[in-house]
Amino acid sequence: MSNQTPSWNQMVQQCEGLGLLAKKLYVVFTKPVNGIGPIMEVLDAHLAYQNKIQDEGIMFGAGPFSDDTEKNWNGDGMVIIRAESMSAAKEIADNDPMHKAGARTYEIRPWLLNEGKVTIDLTFSNKSMMLK
């Protein structure tokens, strides 16, 4: 076994070779710039943008982070997006009203989704659905 750190492309190829999903995504970590006030001012526009990119198939998932006590929200969040490149992911993040208004700053990290499971329980008789 080599002690040499593989390149990102080598990691992707290795995961593909192992038969893992190897789905390339981008994770946008967002943080408030000046507290919650500016975030709340553009929250409606931000959520509308999130719905738009969700409906366009760009957004894989998104949501806020709690603090480690699980009692408080300080404005941090995360958005997982489908994009062809880091520059395309940056353009998507730049167009978020939170970032345009300067209410939040962000960092983007490429992410390789390899393992996991989503189960959807759909009951026809009462038209209910549960995501597990």
Side-chain angles (χ1 to χ4, degrees):
M1 179 174 282
S2 172
N3 287 334
Q4 188 176 22
T5 302
S7 71
W8 181 247
N9 286 336
Q10 289 171 324
M11 175 58 68
V12 172
Q13 290 172 357
Q14 180 179 5
C15 293
E16 289 171 341
L18 292 170
L20 301 174
L21 179 60
K23 176 69 178 165
K24 294 185 226 175
L25 300 166
Y26 292 86
V27 181
V28 181
F29 297 95
T30 67
K31 293 192 171 291
V33 174
N34 289 315
I36 296 298
I39 289 173
M40 300 311 290
E41 289 174 13
V42 293
L43 186 60
D44 289 343
H46 163 73
L47 293 176
Y49 180 72
Q50 296 286 72
N51 283 328
K52 176 182 175 290
I53 64 174
Q54 168 190 271
D55 293 346
E56 292 173 352
I58 295 169
M59 187 173 69
F60 178 81
F65 286 117
S66 172
D67 67 2
D68 57 3
T69 68
E70 297 186 47
K71 293 181 181 173
N72 301 300
W73 177 60
N74 66 6
D76 289 0
M78 180 177 81
V79 182
I80 303 171
I81 55 177
R82 298 172 182 95
E84 293 299 316
S85 65
M86 178 64 92
S87 61
K90 183 175 180 345
E91 184 177 340
I92 293 162
D94 284 344
N95 284 320
D96 185 324
M98 283 289 176
H99 304 139
K100 279 185 170 182
R104 283 184 174 159
T105 187
Y106 69 86
E107 174 189 354
I108 300 178
R109 301 280 309 270
W111 180 49
L112 198 61
L113 176 57
N114 282 329
E115 307 93 8
K117 180 177 181 178
V118 173
T119 303
I120 299 173
D121 186 353
L122 180 62
T123 305
F124 299 123
S125 62
N126 64 6
K127 302 176 188 171
S128 69
M129 186 213 50
M130 182 185 312
L131 186 63
K132 298 178 183 180

